[in-house]
């Protein structure tokens, strides 16, 4: 069962928009147990890295210590992982090390999100912090795009609350409520697209970053 969540819809759309930057040998850092996005890319090889062996990664290792040689991959995909890493600069410097010159990173992260993966949930990000983090570690920023505004963020928070409060993924009420949640979420996304105000945009859920190794 899949329950509609605005953040996931918008995130997939962002990754699809910038998917043409991903090519060649691709490293998915923090891939997790599900292959969510590889279908969006054209690649020669797709390598999944995750610190948890139970997730069946190709490489069981952390983002701060990637067991690959220098200049060994063409692209890196990293979605909703950086906030769970304490040593941020260590991870980004490893991205730089294993990427070939001219290689690209697509990364998504949150500004607003519910607590998760406790006790390993450490950070939330603005576009300013992400830009500095990448630039200070040798990357050029190609794009930083906001993900959602006030209405999308509000819908995400409400839906996530009820998923957790009612345990919707693990009981029958999830199936009953799913159509209503989907209708509510889609309405809020429509309102979000209409709202071009600065106030609305300051309520972003997060960001998508595309960066290139100089």
């Amino acid at each position: 069962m899949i329950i509609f969540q605005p953040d996931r819809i918008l995130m997939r759309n962002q990754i699809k928009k910038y998917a043409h930057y991903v090519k060649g040998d691709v490293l998915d850092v923090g891939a997790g147990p599900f292959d969510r996005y590889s279908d969006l890319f054209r690649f020669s090889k797709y390598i999944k890295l995750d610190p948890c062996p139970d997730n069946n990664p190709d490489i069981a290792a952390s983002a701060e210590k990637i067991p690959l040689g220098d200049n060994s991959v063409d692209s890196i995909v990293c979605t909703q992982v950086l906030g769970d890493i304490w040593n941020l600069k260590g991870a980004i410097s490893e991205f730089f090390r294993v990427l070939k010159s001219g290689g690209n990173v697509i990364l998504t992260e949150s500004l607003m999100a519910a607590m998760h993966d406790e006790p390993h949930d450490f950070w939330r990000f603005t576009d300013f912090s992400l830009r500095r983090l990448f630039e200070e570690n040798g990357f050029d920023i190609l794009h930083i795009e906001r993900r959602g505004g006030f209405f999308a963020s509000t819908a995400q928070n409400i839906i996530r609350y009820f998923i957790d409060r009612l345990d919707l993924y693990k009981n029958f009420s999830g199936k009953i409520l799913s159509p209503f949640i989907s209708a509510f979420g889609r309405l809020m996304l429509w309102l979000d697209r209409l709202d071009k105000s600065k106030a609305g945009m300051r309520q972003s859920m997060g960001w998508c970053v595309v960066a290139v190794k100089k």
Side-chain angles (χ1 to χ4, degrees), residues 27-37 46-52 55 57 59-64 66 76-82 84-85 95 108-109 117:
L27 180 66
D28 186 337
V29 176
F34 306 110
D35 184 358
R36 296 184 186 276
Y37 303 114
Y46 199 85
I47 306 164
K48 294 186 289 183
L49 180 145
D50 195 273
C52 180
N55 289 334
I59 302 172
S62 69
E64 307 98 302
I66 299 173
I76 289 176
V77 176
C78 184
T79 61
Q80 305 303 106
V81 172
L82 210 60
D84 298 340
I85 296 172
F95 291 2
T108 67
E109 258 309 333
D117 296 334

PDB file of all heavy atoms in Angstrom, residues 27-37 46-52 55 57 59-64 66 76-82 84-85 95 108-109 117:
ATOM      1  N   LEU A  27      26.713   6.064  -8.481  1.00  0.00           N
ATOM      2  CA  LEU A  27      26.738   5.626  -7.088  1.00  0.00           C
ATOM      3  C   LEU A  27      25.547   6.224  -6.370  1.00  0.00           C
ATOM      4  O   LEU A  27      25.421   7.446  -6.280  1.00  0.00           O
ATOM      5  CB  LEU A  27      28.042   6.057  -6.416  1.00  0.00           C
ATOM      6  CG  LEU A  27      28.205   5.657  -4.935  1.00  0.00           C
ATOM      7  CD1 LEU A  27      28.304   4.141  -4.800  1.00  0.00           C
ATOM      8  CD2 LEU A  27      29.431   6.341  -4.330  1.00  0.00           C
ATOM      9  N   ASP A  28      24.674   5.365  -5.854  1.00  0.00           N
ATOM     10  CA  ASP A  28      23.524   5.799  -5.055  1.00  0.00           C
ATOM     11  C   ASP A  28      23.928   5.701  -3.587  1.00  0.00           C
ATOM     12  O   ASP A  28      24.016   4.608  -3.023  1.00  0.00           O
ATOM     13  CB  ASP A  28      22.318   4.913  -5.354  1.00  0.00           C
ATOM     14  CG  ASP A  28      21.036   5.388  -4.675  1.00  0.00           C
ATOM     15  OD1 ASP A  28      21.135   6.110  -3.666  1.00  0.00           O
ATOM     16  OD2 ASP A  28      19.951   5.021  -5.137  1.00  0.00           O
ATOM     17  N   VAL A  29      24.187   6.857  -2.961  1.00  0.00           N
ATOM     18  CA  VAL A  29      24.687   6.900  -1.588  1.00  0.00           C
ATOM     19  C   VAL A  29      23.509   6.899  -0.613  1.00  0.00           C
ATOM     20  O   VAL A  29      22.654   7.782  -0.659  1.00  0.00           O
ATOM     21  CB  VAL A  29      25.560   8.154  -1.363  1.00  0.00           C
ATOM     22  CG1 VAL A  29      25.994   8.242   0.099  1.00  0.00           C
ATOM     23  CG2 VAL A  29      26.771   8.121  -2.279  1.00  0.00           C
ATOM     24  N   GLY A  30      23.490   5.910   0.277  1.00  0.00           N
ATOM     25  CA  GLY A  30      22.367   5.769   1.200  1.00  0.00           C
ATOM     26  C   GLY A  30      21.134   5.252   0.500  1.00  0.00           C
ATOM     27  O   GLY A  30      20.024   5.741   0.740  1.00  0.00           O
ATOM     28  N   ALA A  31      21.309   4.250  -0.345  1.00  0.00           N
ATOM     29  CA  ALA A  31      20.229   3.777  -1.214  1.00  0.00           C
ATOM     30  C   ALA A  31      19.037   3.233  -0.447  1.00  0.00           C
ATOM     31  O   ALA A  31      17.901   3.308  -0.918  1.00  0.00           O
ATOM     32  CB  ALA A  31      20.765   2.703  -2.160  1.00  0.00           C
ATOM     33  N   GLY A  32      19.270   2.684   0.737  1.00  0.00           N
ATOM     34  CA  GLY A  32      18.168   2.133   1.514  1.00  0.00           C
ATOM     35  C   GLY A  32      17.663   0.822   0.940  1.00  0.00           C
ATOM     36  O   GLY A  32      18.261   0.248   0.017  1.00  0.00           O
ATOM     37  N   PRO A  33      16.529   0.335   1.431  1.00  0.00           N
ATOM     38  CA  PRO A  33      16.025  -0.977   1.020  1.00  0.00           C
ATOM     39  C   PRO A  33      15.251  -0.972  -0.296  1.00  0.00           C
ATOM     40  O   PRO A  33      14.961  -2.031  -0.841  1.00  0.00           O
ATOM     41  CB  PRO A  33      15.100  -1.370   2.175  1.00  0.00           C
ATOM     42  CG  PRO A  33      14.598  -0.061   2.706  1.00  0.00           C
ATOM     43  CD  PRO A  33      15.744   0.904   2.556  1.00  0.00           C
ATOM     44  N   PHE A  34      14.906   0.225  -0.810  1.00  0.00           N
ATOM     45  CA  PHE A  34      14.086   0.301  -2.015  1.00  0.00           C
ATOM     46  C   PHE A  34      14.824   1.044  -3.121  1.00  0.00           C
ATOM     47  O   PHE A  34      15.505   2.038  -2.869  1.00  0.00           O
ATOM     48  CB  PHE A  34      12.769   1.034  -1.728  1.00  0.00           C
ATOM     49  CG  PHE A  34      11.990   0.457  -0.586  1.00  0.00           C
ATOM     50  CD1 PHE A  34      11.873   1.157   0.603  1.00  0.00           C
ATOM     51  CD2 PHE A  34      11.390  -0.779  -0.696  1.00  0.00           C
ATOM     52  CE1 PHE A  34      11.163   0.642   1.672  1.00  0.00           C
ATOM     53  CE2 PHE A  34      10.676  -1.313   0.364  1.00  0.00           C
ATOM     54  CZ  PHE A  34      10.562  -0.604   1.552  1.00  0.00           C
ATOM     55  N   ASP A  35      14.668   0.570  -4.338  1.00  0.00           N
ATOM     56  CA  ASP A  35      15.224   1.246  -5.505  1.00  0.00           C
ATOM     57  C   ASP A  35      14.160   2.208  -6.024  1.00  0.00           C
ATOM     58  O   ASP A  35      13.289   1.838  -6.805  1.00  0.00           O
ATOM     59  CB  ASP A  35      15.605   0.220  -6.567  1.00  0.00           C
ATOM     60  CG  ASP A  35      16.282   0.847  -7.783  1.00  0.00           C
ATOM     61  OD1 ASP A  35      16.412   2.095  -7.807  1.00  0.00           O
ATOM     62  OD2 ASP A  35      16.661   0.112  -8.690  1.00  0.00           O
ATOM     63  N   ARG A  36      14.214   3.460  -5.569  1.00  0.00           N
ATOM     64  CA  ARG A  36      13.143   4.413  -5.864  1.00  0.00           C
ATOM     65  C   ARG A  36      13.318   5.148  -7.190  1.00  0.00           C
ATOM     66  O   ARG A  36      12.332   5.525  -7.824  1.00  0.00           O
ATOM     67  CB  ARG A  36      13.042   5.448  -4.741  1.00  0.00           C
ATOM     68  CG  ARG A  36      12.657   4.877  -3.382  1.00  0.00           C
ATOM     69  CD  ARG A  36      12.494   6.003  -2.371  1.00  0.00           C
ATOM     70  NE  ARG A  36      12.274   5.522  -1.023  1.00  0.00           N
ATOM     71  CZ  ARG A  36      11.098   5.162  -0.518  1.00  0.00           C
ATOM     72  NH1 ARG A  36      10.011   5.251  -1.282  1.00  0.00           N
ATOM     73  NH2 ARG A  36      10.995   4.729   0.725  1.00  0.00           N
ATOM     74  N   TYR A  37      14.562   5.386  -7.621  1.00  0.00           N
ATOM     75  CA  TYR A  37      14.758   6.364  -8.688  1.00  0.00           C
ATOM     76  C   TYR A  37      15.601   5.897  -9.873  1.00  0.00           C
ATOM     77  O   TYR A  37      15.714   6.639 -10.848  1.00  0.00           O
ATOM     78  CB  TYR A  37      15.410   7.630  -8.104  1.00  0.00           C
ATOM     79  CG  TYR A  37      14.613   8.244  -6.985  1.00  0.00           C
ATOM     80  CD1 TYR A  37      15.104   8.279  -5.683  1.00  0.00           C
ATOM     81  CD2 TYR A  37      13.342   8.761  -7.212  1.00  0.00           C
ATOM     82  CE1 TYR A  37      14.372   8.829  -4.648  1.00  0.00           C
ATOM     83  CE2 TYR A  37      12.601   9.303  -6.182  1.00  0.00           C
ATOM     84  CZ  TYR A  37      13.119   9.336  -4.899  1.00  0.00           C
ATOM     85  OH  TYR A  37      12.381   9.875  -3.880  1.00  0.00           O
ATOM     86  N   TYR A  46      24.838   0.860 -12.007  1.00  0.00           N
ATOM     87  CA  TYR A  46      24.172   1.502 -10.880  1.00  0.00           C
ATOM     88  C   TYR A  46      24.597   0.789  -9.604  1.00  0.00           C
ATOM     89  O   TYR A  46      24.268  -0.382  -9.392  1.00  0.00           O
ATOM     90  CB  TYR A  46      22.655   1.458 -11.039  1.00  0.00           C
ATOM     91  CG  TYR A  46      21.913   2.467 -10.192  1.00  0.00           C
ATOM     92  CD1 TYR A  46      21.731   3.764 -10.653  1.00  0.00           C
ATOM     93  CD2 TYR A  46      21.396   2.130  -8.952  1.00  0.00           C
ATOM     94  CE1 TYR A  46      21.042   4.709  -9.901  1.00  0.00           C
ATOM     95  CE2 TYR A  46      20.712   3.060  -8.184  1.00  0.00           C
ATOM     96  CZ  TYR A  46      20.533   4.348  -8.663  1.00  0.00           C
ATOM     97  OH  TYR A  46      19.869   5.283  -7.915  1.00  0.00           O
ATOM     98  N   ILE A  47      25.347   1.486  -8.754  1.00  0.00           N
ATOM     99  CA  ILE A  47      25.929   0.898  -7.550  1.00  0.00           C
ATOM    100  C   ILE A  47      25.215   1.459  -6.331  1.00  0.00           C
ATOM    101  O   ILE A  47      25.208   2.669  -6.096  1.00  0.00           O
ATOM    102  CB  ILE A  47      27.433   1.235  -7.459  1.00  0.00           C
ATOM    103  CG1 ILE A  47      28.160   0.824  -8.738  1.00  0.00           C
ATOM    104  CG2 ILE A  47      28.063   0.561  -6.237  1.00  0.00           C
ATOM    105  CD1 ILE A  47      29.532   1.471  -8.888  1.00  0.00           C
ATOM    106  N   LYS A  48      24.627   0.576  -5.537  1.00  0.00           N
ATOM    107  CA  LYS A  48      23.916   1.001  -4.331  1.00  0.00           C
ATOM    108  C   LYS A  48      24.821   0.858  -3.110  1.00  0.00           C
ATOM    109  O   LYS A  48      25.359  -0.212  -2.842  1.00  0.00           O
ATOM    110  CB  LYS A  48      22.650   0.178  -4.145  1.00  0.00           C
ATOM    111  CG  LYS A  48      21.610   0.413  -5.228  1.00  0.00           C
ATOM    112  CD  LYS A  48      20.313  -0.309  -4.947  1.00  0.00           C
ATOM    113  CE  LYS A  48      20.473  -1.810  -5.123  1.00  0.00           C
ATOM    114  NZ  LYS A  48      19.178  -2.525  -4.915  1.00  0.00           N
ATOM    115  N   LEU A  49      24.993   1.975  -2.388  1.00  0.00           N
ATOM    116  CA  LEU A  49      25.799   1.998  -1.170  1.00  0.00           C
ATOM    117  C   LEU A  49      24.898   2.319   0.009  1.00  0.00           C
ATOM    118  O   LEU A  49      24.112   3.265  -0.050  1.00  0.00           O
ATOM    119  CB  LEU A  49      26.919   3.032  -1.290  1.00  0.00           C
ATOM    120  CG  LEU A  49      27.867   3.188  -0.093  1.00  0.00           C
ATOM    121  CD1 LEU A  49      29.283   3.504  -0.582  1.00  0.00           C
ATOM    122  CD2 LEU A  49      27.404   4.270   0.874  1.00  0.00           C
ATOM    123  N   ASP A  50      25.028   1.530   1.077  1.00  0.00           N
ATOM    124  CA  ASP A  50      24.234   1.768   2.275  1.00  0.00           C
ATOM    125  C   ASP A  50      24.978   1.171   3.470  1.00  0.00           C
ATOM    126  O   ASP A  50      25.603   0.109   3.330  1.00  0.00           O
ATOM    127  CB  ASP A  50      22.848   1.125   2.139  1.00  0.00           C
ATOM    128  CG  ASP A  50      21.863   1.646   3.180  1.00  0.00           C
ATOM    129  OD1 ASP A  50      21.836   1.084   4.290  1.00  0.00           O
ATOM    130  OD2 ASP A  50      21.159   2.628   2.877  1.00  0.00           O
ATOM    131  N   PRO A  51      24.921   1.821   4.631  1.00  0.00           N
ATOM    132  CA  PRO A  51      25.641   1.283   5.793  1.00  0.00           C
ATOM    133  C   PRO A  51      25.006   0.043   6.394  1.00  0.00           C
ATOM    134  O   PRO A  51      25.644  -0.652   7.188  1.00  0.00           O
ATOM    135  CB  PRO A  51      25.620   2.451   6.784  1.00  0.00           C
ATOM    136  CG  PRO A  51      24.421   3.251   6.408  1.00  0.00           C
ATOM    137  CD  PRO A  51      24.321   3.130   4.913  1.00  0.00           C
ATOM    138  N   CYS A  52      23.750  -0.252   6.040  1.00  0.00           N
ATOM    139  CA  CYS A  52      23.034  -1.374   6.633  1.00  0.00           C
ATOM    140  C   CYS A  52      23.058  -2.584   5.691  1.00  0.00           C
ATOM    141  O   CYS A  52      22.411  -2.562   4.634  1.00  0.00           O
ATOM    142  CB  CYS A  52      21.595  -0.979   6.938  1.00  0.00           C
ATOM    143  SG  CYS A  52      20.630  -2.318   7.666  1.00  0.00           S
ATOM    144  N   ASN A  55      19.855  -4.066   4.027  1.00  0.00           N
ATOM    145  CA  ASN A  55      19.234  -3.420   2.868  1.00  0.00           C
ATOM    146  C   ASN A  55      19.754  -3.969   1.543  1.00  0.00           C
ATOM    147  O   ASN A  55      19.372  -3.479   0.480  1.00  0.00           O
ATOM    148  CB  ASN A  55      19.458  -1.907   2.930  1.00  0.00           C
ATOM    149  CG  ASN A  55      18.645  -1.250   4.028  1.00  0.00           C
ATOM    150  OD1 ASN A  55      17.597  -1.759   4.427  1.00  0.00           O
ATOM    151  ND2 ASN A  55      19.108  -0.111   4.525  1.00  0.00           N
ATOM    152  N   PRO A  57      22.715  -3.770  -0.083  1.00  0.00           N
ATOM    153  CA  PRO A  57      23.401  -2.868  -1.000  1.00  0.00           C
ATOM    154  C   PRO A  57      24.514  -3.599  -1.757  1.00  0.00           C
ATOM    155  O   PRO A  57      24.953  -4.688  -1.358  1.00  0.00           O
ATOM    156  CB  PRO A  57      23.996  -1.817  -0.062  1.00  0.00           C
ATOM    157  CG  PRO A  57      24.292  -2.586   1.192  1.00  0.00           C
ATOM    158  CD  PRO A  57      23.163  -3.588   1.318  1.00  0.00           C
ATOM    159  N   ILE A  59      27.418  -2.197  -1.933  1.00  0.00           N
ATOM    160  CA  ILE A  59      28.511  -1.876  -1.027  1.00  0.00           C
ATOM    161  C   ILE A  59      27.921  -1.494   0.324  1.00  0.00           C
ATOM    162  O   ILE A  59      27.118  -0.564   0.410  1.00  0.00           O
ATOM    163  CB  ILE A  59      29.363  -0.700  -1.559  1.00  0.00           C
ATOM    164  CG1 ILE A  59      29.934  -1.019  -2.941  1.00  0.00           C
ATOM    165  CG2 ILE A  59      30.493  -0.365  -0.593  1.00  0.00           C
ATOM    166  CD1 ILE A  59      30.623   0.173  -3.598  1.00  0.00           C
ATOM    167  N   ALA A  60      28.308  -2.213   1.368  1.00  0.00           N
ATOM    168  CA  ALA A  60      27.862  -1.885   2.722  1.00  0.00           C
ATOM    169  C   ALA A  60      28.910  -0.986   3.367  1.00  0.00           C
ATOM    170  O   ALA A  60      29.957  -1.460   3.822  1.00  0.00           O
ATOM    171  CB  ALA A  60      27.659  -3.147   3.539  1.00  0.00           C
ATOM    172  N   ALA A  61      28.648   0.312   3.362  1.00  0.00           N
ATOM    173  CA  ALA A  61      29.617   1.280   3.886  1.00  0.00           C
ATOM    174  C   ALA A  61      28.915   2.607   4.102  1.00  0.00           C
ATOM    175  O   ALA A  61      27.813   2.840   3.600  1.00  0.00           O
ATOM    176  CB  ALA A  61      30.789   1.460   2.917  1.00  0.00           C
ATOM    177  N   SER A  62      29.578   3.493   4.870  1.00  0.00           N
ATOM    178  CA  SER A  62      29.017   4.807   5.155  1.00  0.00           C
ATOM    179  C   SER A  62      29.428   5.817   4.094  1.00  0.00           C
ATOM    180  O   SER A  62      30.412   5.620   3.369  1.00  0.00           O
ATOM    181  CB  SER A  62      29.491   5.291   6.524  1.00  0.00           C
ATOM    182  OG  SER A  62      30.877   5.592   6.488  1.00  0.00           O
ATOM    183  N   ALA A  63      28.676   6.912   4.029  1.00  0.00           N
ATOM    184  CA  ALA A  63      28.988   7.975   3.078  1.00  0.00           C
ATOM    185  C   ALA A  63      30.297   8.676   3.399  1.00  0.00           C
ATOM    186  O   ALA A  63      30.919   9.267   2.516  1.00  0.00           O
ATOM    187  CB  ALA A  63      27.848   8.986   3.047  1.00  0.00           C
ATOM    188  N   GLU A  64      30.707   8.626   4.667  1.00  0.00           N
ATOM    189  CA  GLU A  64      31.948   9.291   5.071  1.00  0.00           C
ATOM    190  C   GLU A  64      33.194   8.473   4.746  1.00  0.00           C
ATOM    191  O   GLU A  64      34.300   8.994   4.780  1.00  0.00           O
ATOM    192  CB  GLU A  64      31.941   9.595   6.568  1.00  0.00           C
ATOM    193  CG  GLU A  64      30.737  10.361   7.070  1.00  0.00           C
ATOM    194  CD  GLU A  64      29.692   9.441   7.673  1.00  0.00           C
ATOM    195  OE1 GLU A  64      29.206   8.520   6.968  1.00  0.00           O
ATOM    196  OE2 GLU A  64      29.363   9.621   8.857  1.00  0.00           O
ATOM    197  N   ILE A  66      33.728   5.922   1.781  1.00  0.00           N
ATOM    198  CA  ILE A  66      33.300   5.162   0.611  1.00  0.00           C
ATOM    199  C   ILE A  66      34.466   4.312   0.107  1.00  0.00           C
ATOM    200  O   ILE A  66      35.509   4.867  -0.270  1.00  0.00           O
ATOM    201  CB  ILE A  66      32.801   6.104  -0.501  1.00  0.00           C
ATOM    202  CG1 ILE A  66      31.604   6.921  -0.001  1.00  0.00           C
ATOM    203  CG2 ILE A  66      32.418   5.308  -1.741  1.00  0.00           C
ATOM    204  CD1 ILE A  66      31.134   7.996  -0.976  1.00  0.00           C
ATOM    205  N   ILE A  76      26.714  10.790  -8.820  1.00  0.00           N
ATOM    206  CA  ILE A  76      26.260  10.378  -7.493  1.00  0.00           C
ATOM    207  C   ILE A  76      24.825  10.836  -7.302  1.00  0.00           C
ATOM    208  O   ILE A  76      24.475  11.976  -7.634  1.00  0.00           O
ATOM    209  CB  ILE A  76      27.154  10.970  -6.385  1.00  0.00           C
ATOM    210  CG1 ILE A  76      28.530  10.290  -6.386  1.00  0.00           C
ATOM    211  CG2 ILE A  76      26.499  10.816  -5.014  1.00  0.00           C
ATOM    212  CD1 ILE A  76      29.506  10.883  -5.392  1.00  0.00           C
ATOM    213  N   VAL A  77      24.008   9.943  -6.775  1.00  0.00           N
ATOM    214  CA  VAL A  77      22.638  10.254  -6.378  1.00  0.00           C
ATOM    215  C   VAL A  77      22.556  10.066  -4.869  1.00  0.00           C
ATOM    216  O   VAL A  77      23.003   9.046  -4.332  1.00  0.00           O
ATOM    217  CB  VAL A  77      21.628   9.320  -7.079  1.00  0.00           C
ATOM    218  CG1 VAL A  77      20.215   9.589  -6.577  1.00  0.00           C
ATOM    219  CG2 VAL A  77      21.710   9.484  -8.590  1.00  0.00           C
ATOM    220  N   CYS A  78      22.011  11.057  -4.174  1.00  0.00           N
ATOM    221  CA  CYS A  78      21.924  10.982  -2.710  1.00  0.00           C
ATOM    222  C   CYS A  78      20.622  11.662  -2.287  1.00  0.00           C
ATOM    223  O   CYS A  78      20.538  12.892  -2.303  1.00  0.00           O
ATOM    224  CB  CYS A  78      23.141  11.658  -2.073  1.00  0.00           C
ATOM    225  SG  CYS A  78      23.212  11.522  -0.277  1.00  0.00           S
ATOM    226  N   THR A  79      19.633  10.874  -1.911  1.00  0.00           N
ATOM    227  CA  THR A  79      18.314  11.429  -1.611  1.00  0.00           C
ATOM    228  C   THR A  79      17.963  11.217  -0.143  1.00  0.00           C
ATOM    229  O   THR A  79      17.902  10.089   0.336  1.00  0.00           O
ATOM    230  CB  THR A  79      17.232  10.790  -2.503  1.00  0.00           C
ATOM    231  OG1 THR A  79      17.169   9.387  -2.276  1.00  0.00           O
ATOM    232  CG2 THR A  79      17.535  11.036  -3.973  1.00  0.00           C
ATOM    233  N   GLN A  80      17.749  12.314   0.560  1.00  0.00           N
ATOM    234  CA  GLN A  80      17.288  12.309   1.948  1.00  0.00           C
ATOM    235  C   GLN A  80      18.206  11.495   2.865  1.00  0.00           C
ATOM    236  O   GLN A  80      17.745  10.746   3.717  1.00  0.00           O
ATOM    237  CB  GLN A  80      15.853  11.783   2.021  1.00  0.00           C
ATOM    238  CG  GLN A  80      14.867  12.521   1.131  1.00  0.00           C
ATOM    239  CD  GLN A  80      14.806  14.010   1.419  1.00  0.00           C
ATOM    240  OE1 GLN A  80      15.318  14.822   0.654  1.00  0.00           O
ATOM    241  NE2 GLN A  80      14.212  14.384   2.535  1.00  0.00           N
ATOM    242  N   VAL A  81      19.500  11.688   2.683  1.00  0.00           N
ATOM    243  CA  VAL A  81      20.499  10.943   3.456  1.00  0.00           C
ATOM    244  C   VAL A  81      21.357  11.875   4.299  1.00  0.00           C
ATOM    245  O   VAL A  81      21.705  11.565   5.439  1.00  0.00           O
ATOM    246  CB  VAL A  81      21.397  10.106   2.513  1.00  0.00           C
ATOM    247  CG1 VAL A  81      22.560   9.476   3.269  1.00  0.00           C
ATOM    248  CG2 VAL A  81      20.583   9.042   1.799  1.00  0.00           C
ATOM    249  N   LEU A  82      21.687  13.040   3.762  1.00  0.00           N
ATOM    250  CA  LEU A  82      22.661  13.923   4.401  1.00  0.00           C
ATOM    251  C   LEU A  82      22.244  14.324   5.817  1.00  0.00           C
ATOM    252  O   LEU A  82      23.087  14.467   6.703  1.00  0.00           O
ATOM    253  CB  LEU A  82      22.856  15.171   3.536  1.00  0.00           C
ATOM    254  CG  LEU A  82      24.237  15.852   3.583  1.00  0.00           C
ATOM    255  CD1 LEU A  82      25.311  14.884   3.119  1.00  0.00           C
ATOM    256  CD2 LEU A  82      24.238  17.107   2.728  1.00  0.00           C
ATOM    257  N   ASP A  84      21.024  12.594   8.035  1.00  0.00           N
ATOM    258  CA  ASP A  84      21.295  11.516   8.985  1.00  0.00           C
ATOM    259  C   ASP A  84      22.788  11.259   9.171  1.00  0.00           C
ATOM    260  O   ASP A  84      23.167  10.267   9.801  1.00  0.00           O
ATOM    261  CB  ASP A  84      20.619  10.223   8.516  1.00  0.00           C
ATOM    262  CG  ASP A  84      19.106  10.346   8.446  1.00  0.00           C
ATOM    263  OD1 ASP A  84      18.557  11.247   9.101  1.00  0.00           O
ATOM    264  OD2 ASP A  84      18.485   9.543   7.734  1.00  0.00           O
ATOM    265  N   ILE A  85      23.619  12.138   8.628  1.00  0.00           N
ATOM    266  CA  ILE A  85      25.072  11.977   8.705  1.00  0.00           C
ATOM    267  C   ILE A  85      25.638  13.083   9.583  1.00  0.00           C
ATOM    268  O   ILE A  85      25.442  14.277   9.307  1.00  0.00           O
ATOM    269  CB  ILE A  85      25.705  12.047   7.299  1.00  0.00           C
ATOM    270  CG1 ILE A  85      25.208  10.877   6.438  1.00  0.00           C
ATOM    271  CG2 ILE A  85      27.224  12.045   7.381  1.00  0.00           C
ATOM    272  CD1 ILE A  85      25.629  10.976   4.986  1.00  0.00           C
ATOM    273  N   PHE A  95      32.315  12.453  -1.644  1.00  0.00           N
ATOM    274  CA  PHE A  95      31.658  12.591  -2.950  1.00  0.00           C
ATOM    275  C   PHE A  95      32.652  13.159  -3.959  1.00  0.00           C
ATOM    276  O   PHE A  95      32.768  12.660  -5.084  1.00  0.00           O
ATOM    277  CB  PHE A  95      30.450  13.535  -2.863  1.00  0.00           C
ATOM    278  CG  PHE A  95      29.280  13.020  -2.079  1.00  0.00           C
ATOM    279  CD1 PHE A  95      29.297  11.783  -1.442  1.00  0.00           C
ATOM    280  CD2 PHE A  95      28.129  13.782  -1.967  1.00  0.00           C
ATOM    281  CE1 PHE A  95      28.210  11.328  -0.717  1.00  0.00           C
ATOM    282  CE2 PHE A  95      27.029  13.332  -1.251  1.00  0.00           C
ATOM    283  CZ  PHE A  95      27.072  12.112  -0.626  1.00  0.00           C
ATOM    284  N   THR A 108      18.964  15.491  -2.660  1.00  0.00           N
ATOM    285  CA  THR A 108      17.779  16.127  -2.081  1.00  0.00           C
ATOM    286  C   THR A 108      17.908  16.107  -0.562  1.00  0.00           C
ATOM    287  O   THR A 108      18.472  15.180   0.014  1.00  0.00           O
ATOM    288  CB  THR A 108      16.475  15.411  -2.477  1.00  0.00           C
ATOM    289  OG1 THR A 108      16.427  14.105  -1.890  1.00  0.00           O
ATOM    290  CG2 THR A 108      16.356  15.303  -3.991  1.00  0.00           C
ATOM    291  N   GLU A 109      17.387  17.172   0.058  1.00  0.00           N
ATOM    292  CA  GLU A 109      17.360  17.228   1.523  1.00  0.00           C
ATOM    293  C   GLU A 109      16.177  18.064   1.992  1.00  0.00           C
ATOM    294  O   GLU A 109      15.519  18.737   1.210  1.00  0.00           O
ATOM    295  CB  GLU A 109      18.659  17.752   2.109  1.00  0.00           C
ATOM    296  CG  GLU A 109      19.573  16.665   2.666  1.00  0.00           C
ATOM    297  CD  GLU A 109      18.877  15.720   3.627  1.00  0.00           C
ATOM    298  OE1 GLU A 109      17.887  16.128   4.281  1.00  0.00           O
ATOM    299  OE2 GLU A 109      19.295  14.562   3.740  1.00  0.00           O
ATOM    300  N   ASP A 117      14.268   8.091  11.901  1.00  0.00           N
ATOM    301  CA  ASP A 117      15.528   7.358  12.076  1.00  0.00           C
ATOM    302  C   ASP A 117      16.255   7.738  13.369  1.00  0.00           C
ATOM    303  O   ASP A 117      17.494   7.758  13.408  1.00  0.00           O
ATOM    304  CB  ASP A 117      16.458   7.592  10.874  1.00  0.00           C
ATOM    305  CG  ASP A 117      15.876   7.038   9.596  1.00  0.00           C
ATOM    306  OD1 ASP A 117      15.069   6.094   9.676  1.00  0.00           O
ATOM    307  OD2 ASP A 117      16.227   7.549   8.515  1.00  0.00           O
TER     308      ASP A 117
END
